[in-house]
Amino acid sequence: MPTVTAPDRAAAAVFRPTRGRWVATVLGVATLVGSVLLALSLPDRYEIMDQLTCIGIGVGVAALMSRYATIHARPTAEGLYVRNLGPGELVPWEQITAVRFSQGMPWPRIDLADGLDMAVMAIQRSDGAGSVDEAQRLADLIG
């Protein structure tokens, strides 16, 4: 297997889920639109705070779905920038020892040199057979 160099890693395509991104986007938009329509159609006995609460719930769900829709893992020369639902983290290539994507796992996990592991939600089994190819591409980048 040829050694992967830093320029090769930096030029590699970003890992992004396909199905999960579409589902999250559709659900986020539908929830936001639905909550606004519901708030506007509430009977007069409901006050402005009831309407704002309804809209606020829609905004909260849409915000969570937008986080899910923007999950990605970006290879750089320095390491793999992994952005799951929480804040992103740059994992240096030297710290990544292996990629695990066993049958039944929803997304691969990278094993780190300190004994911990990290999920890479940008590659999702729900995307079908292509997810195994993407996990192999990630493993090839690690070298």
Side-chain angles (χ1 to χ4, degrees):
M1 174 183 287
T3 303
V4 180
T5 63
D8 294 337
R9 290 174 172 156
V14 175
F15 296 93
R16 294 187 191 279
T18 305
R19 185 174 295 162
R21 189 169 43 163
W22 278 102
V23 169
T25 301
V26 169
L27 283 176
V29 170
T31 302
L32 183 60
V33 169
S35 68
V36 169
L37 291 176
L38 177 63
L40 294 175
S41 66
L42 287 174
D44 290 337
R45 65 185 169 136
Y46 292 99
E47 297 185 14
I48 188 71
M49 286 308 295
D50 298 315
Q51 293 173 324
L52 291 177
T53 300
C54 187
I55 292 171
I57 291 170
V59 168
V61 170
L64 177 65
M65 290 295 106
S66 74
R67 289 294 292 184
Y68 194 88
T70 57
I71 288 171
H72 66 277
R74 185 176 60 248
T76 66
E78 297 80 31
L80 182 66
Y81 179 78
V82 179
R83 171 129 160 1
N84 292 330
L85 290 175
E89 182 178 346
L90 180 65
V91 182
W93 292 113
E94 303 80 36
Q95 293 295 315
I96 304 172
T97 59
V99 176
R100 290 183 290 119
F101 195 36
S102 303
Q103 188 66 29
M105 293 176 71
W107 42 74
R109 298 192 72 80
I110 53 175
D111 291 331
L112 305 177
D114 60 5
L116 299 175
D117 65 352
M118 174 187 283
V120 182
M121 294 176 67
I123 302 169
Q124 298 184 2
R125 191 166 302 277
S126 64
D127 287 336
S131 63
V132 176
D133 296 338
E134 287 290 276
Q136 184 59 53
R137 182 168 71 92
L138 176 58
D140 292 344
L141 285 174
I142 292 168

